[in-house]
Amino acid sequence: ALQEDGRSTIQAIADKVGLSPSPCLRRIRQLENAGIISGYSANVDQKALKYINWTKVPVVNVRIRQNEYSPMVICLRQGWPYVIRIRYRDDHGHVFQANTFISRFAVIKTTIAGKVKEETCYGAIYVPAKQTAELKLVAIVDGYYDYKDNYLSISSAFSLGRNGVIIVEERAPRI
């Protein structure tokens, strides 16, 4: 049931497989934790993509310097395409973590330090020191999404950086 429609509600999946919602959710979480379900993705219509003029979509610049985000709150609109540029200016690499956010968006293209990343389904992006990552995406699911910054020190130990939030406003119906 989940493979047919990854956006189904737990109730709809439970009804389809003959379980109540609680055990159904528990089994899905077990499959996720075991790595059997490795993520959820959107099927992007390649024909529709060629109508997006990426030079005219809104660009959101996220700057991280000395483990401080600017801005800490990012507001997007559901259904709109965006370019998000994450610029690190510190002397060490960073990991931009936004697991739920990235998994619920249609990531079209990711470029890190000028190189295109083939994978578009991931939860975090490592960006080398003093480099920029650029994500071209379409905001699909409305909601509030946390993101955080982890940085890698020379000793390769993780240290937690600051947190931020991405707010995706629900698309208003046209009258």
Side-chain angles (χ1 to χ4, degrees):
L2 192 57
Q3 285 179 310
E4 293 170 13
D5 184 4
R7 292 178 53 167
S8 294
T9 64
I10 297 299
Q11 183 65 56
I13 296 167
D15 290 345
K16 198 166 193 175
V17 298
L19 291 172
S20 63
S22 293
C24 181
L25 178 60
R26 187 171 49 252
R27 289 182 186 184
I28 291 171
R29 295 290 181 246
Q30 288 171 341
L31 291 169
E32 290 171 343
N33 292 336
I36 295 167
I37 296 176
S38 59
Y40 301 88
S41 62
N43 294 325
V44 178
D45 183 351
Q46 295 300 318
K47 287 187 263 179
L49 280 181
K50 60 182 172 177
Y51 295 108
I52 298 174
N53 182 347
W54 289 103
T55 62
K56 294 189 177 187
V57 302
V59 176
V60 177
N61 288 301
V62 178
R63 292 169 302 284
I64 302 174
R65 176 103 176 143
Q66 298 175 343
N67 303 319
E68 294 284 334
Y69 280 104
S70 174
M72 290 190 74
V73 177
I74 299 170
C75 293
L76 308 176
R77 304 247 3 230
Q78 182 183 22
W80 287 32
Y82 290 92
V83 174
I84 297 180
R85 286 195 190 112
I86 305 163
R87 296 182 175 164
Y88 291 110
R89 296 298 175 239
D90 289 346
D91 293 329
H92 46 78
H94 286 260
V95 177
F96 178 82
Q97 279 190 293
N99 301 5
T100 307
F101 169 74
I102 294 172
S103 70
R104 292 192 179 169
F105 279 56
V107 177
I108 309 304
K109 182 179 178 183
T110 303
T111 308
I112 301 172
K115 295 179 184 167
V116 175
K117 181 177 179 172
E118 296 299 321
E119 185 180 339
T120 58
C121 185
Y122 47 81
I125 304 168
Y126 173 74
V127 183
K130 299 187 181 192
Q131 297 293 324
T132 300
E134 183 177 279
L135 288 79
K136 291 182 178 178
L137 52 83
V138 177
I140 295 176
V141 181
D142 64 309
Y144 290 78
Y145 303 96
D146 291 328
Y147 67 90
K148 57 185 166 182
D149 172 42
N150 291 335
Y151 69 88
L152 294 170
S153 66
I154 295 173
S155 66
S156 296
F158 278 97
S159 291
L160 293 176
R162 305 282 178 174
N163 292 339
V165 67
I166 300 166
I167 301 169
V168 179
E169 297 174 347
E170 184 176 8
R171 182 188 336 208
R174 291 187 177 159
I175 298 176

